[in-house]
Amino acid sequence: TQSDLVWRETHPDRRESHAIAYRVNAALPWRAAVNSEYRYYRDSWGVQSHTAEVRYPQYLWRTLLFRPRYRYYRQTASNFFKERYDGTEEFMTADLRLAPFSAHLLGVKLGYTWPFGLGVDAQWDRYLQISRLQLGYSADDSFFQTEDLKYDVVQVGVRYGF
């Protein structure tokens, strides 16, 4: 039956990509700064993305650094990504990295440095990827709904400047 068909994933043989980015950093007079970045990306498969990030490193005391950050990411789908295929398409993919989605990252870092150069850092980031797709095959109308991806990352490190 047609519902038993499995279609082979196929991509174009060649992919060209281009990106442009800028970064603006501004020092503030109260031992702080604003760091901002923007990146635009596009490729020959039709994927376009925008990334914007802002950080605010602020010294709370002479040796204690507090740095919150926020990053936003959004991308379009490739020209050949579809939620459902009927098997007649030249290119087909199940790669969700070629699907449209957006993502948010919110994080905070604390760093402490002793006068002799040894330091410790602790960082927490929460990531949320939003991609609400209904993937499946139009042959039998079966599909599944993708879920948002959420996770937390905790990092602890030791550093020494010399």
Side-chain angles (χ1 to χ4, degrees):
T1 67
Q2 189 157 357
S3 64
D4 295 329
L5 290 176
V6 176
W7 293 304
R8 197 173 136 251
E9 184 164 331
T10 56
H11 296 156
D13 292 331
R14 185 175 165 93
R15 186 178 190 183
E16 294 180 19
S17 61
H18 305 280
I20 187 167
Y22 76 87
R23 180 179 297 163
V24 176
N25 297 320
L28 301 174
W30 51 87
R31 293 189 47 142
V34 175
N35 309 127
S36 62
E37 298 180 30
Y38 172 79
R39 180 178 182 262
Y40 173 75
Y41 168 91
R42 72 178 297 167
D43 65 29
S44 59
W45 291 5
V47 175
Q48 294 183 49
S49 69
H50 301 271
T51 307
E53 182 169 359
V54 64
R55 298 175 185 215
Y56 178 76
Q58 165 73 62
Y59 276 94
L60 301 178
W61 290 280
R62 183 176 192 147
T63 57
L64 181 63
L65 176 70
F66 171 73
R67 193 214 62 208
R69 72 175 178 153
Y70 173 75
R71 183 173 67 212
Y72 175 73
Y73 177 84
R74 181 177 57 89
Q75 84 172 33
T76 62
S78 69
N79 295 332
F80 53 91
F81 181 87
K82 292 170 61 176
E83 293 186 32
R84 296 179 184 205
Y85 293 97
D86 61 19
T88 62
E89 295 85 352
E90 179 182 9
F91 302 116
M92 295 184 286
T93 186
D95 188 346
L96 292 178
R97 293 173 299 179
L98 298 175
F101 73 89
S102 62
H104 303 270
L105 181 131
L106 183 63
V108 64
K109 177 179 180 177
L110 283 174
Y112 184 82
T113 306
W114 284 275
F116 52 88
L118 182 66
V120 293
D121 296 315
Q123 181 170 320
W124 167 81
D125 290 315
R126 170 159 287 174
Y127 179 83
L128 170 62
Q129 179 177 311
I130 302 165
S131 57
R132 297 199 173 94
L133 302 172
Q134 290 187 349
L135 303 174
Y137 305 97
S138 58
D140 64 358
D141 277 339
S142 64
F143 66 91
F144 68 93
Q145 177 81 32
T146 61
E147 297 291 327
D148 292 342
L149 173 65
K150 303 173 194 172
Y151 63 85
D152 293 304
V153 177
V154 176
Q155 299 176 359
V156 177
V158 177
R159 61 186 152 70
Y160 182 73
F162 51 92

